């Protein structure tokens, strides 16, 4: 028996440069050793998430893609604990996100999500 797939669909992603600019302009920043979270409160709107891995901050294409994939997977696993409405979240990867041990990166992601108020405790699902 396989576990149910927990996922967020494409409507739950921050996609356009205008949306990223909105988040950057009005968001609160939460720092961790391997990433930065920009969290913008959007009351009444569905929660959306985006990921940034710049060439300057992370490295070449392979490293950027790996950093984004790792962060995306960590958020996907925790998606049921993130509220369905109220936040636009943008994760900005640091160079260390590529090589950090999985558990250390997972702790960083949980820490910044909890600091932003966008993560329900373990065992609870967000409303």
């Amino acid at each position: 028996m396989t576990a149910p797939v927990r996922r967020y669909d494409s409507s739950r992603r921050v996609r356009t440069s205008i949306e990223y600019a909105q988040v950057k302009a009005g968001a609160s920043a939460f720092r961790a050793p391997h990433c930065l979270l920009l969290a913008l409160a959007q009351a009444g709107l569905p929660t959306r998430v985006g990921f940034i891995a710049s060439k300057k901050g992370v490295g070449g294409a392979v490293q950027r893609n790996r950093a984004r994939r790792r962060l995306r997977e960590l958020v996907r696993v925790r998606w049921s604990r993130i509220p369905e409405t109220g936040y636009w979240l943008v994760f900005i990867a640091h160079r260390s996100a590529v090589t950090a041990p999985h558990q250390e990166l997972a702790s960083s992601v949980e820490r910044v999500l909890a600091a932003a108020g966008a993560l329900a405790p373990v065992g609870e699902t967000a409303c």
Side-chain angles (χ1 to χ4, degrees), residues 8 13 20 30 32-38 49-54 57-58 63-79 82 89-113:
Y8 49 90
R13 295 191 186 140
Y20 278 103
F30 300 93
H34 307 296
C35 64
L36 171 72
L37 172 64
L38 301 176
V49 64
F51 301 91
I52 297 173
S54 70
V58 178
Q63 289 82 15
R64 292 195 311 271
N65 290 333
R66 182 170 291 141
R68 272 194 301 270
R69 270 196 316 270
R70 293 185 81 197
L71 289 173
R72 227 182 354 251
E73 175 61 13
L74 291 169
V75 171
R76 184 193 67 80
V77 169
R78 289 154 183 79
W79 191 248
I82 296 173
L89 308 168
V90 173
F91 286 86
I92 301 174
H94 295 164
R95 188 175 304 271
S96 61
V98 176
T99 57
H102 177 77
Q103 191 56 48
E104 194 176 314
L105 186 59
S107 295
S108 289
V109 168
E110 287 219 9
R111 193 175 313 120
V112 293
L113 283 169

Side-chain angles (χ1 to χ4, degrees), residues 14 18-31 36-42 48 50 52 86-92 112 115-116:
V14 177
I18 293 170
E19 293 169 346
Y20 278 103
Q22 278 182 303
V23 173
K24 286 181 181 180
S28 299
F30 300 93
R31 297 185 190 284
L36 171 72
L37 172 64
L38 301 176
L40 178 63
Q42 294 280 41
R48 298 172 72 185
I52 297 173
Y87 292 97
W88 281 12
L89 308 168
V90 173
F91 286 86
I92 301 174
V112 293

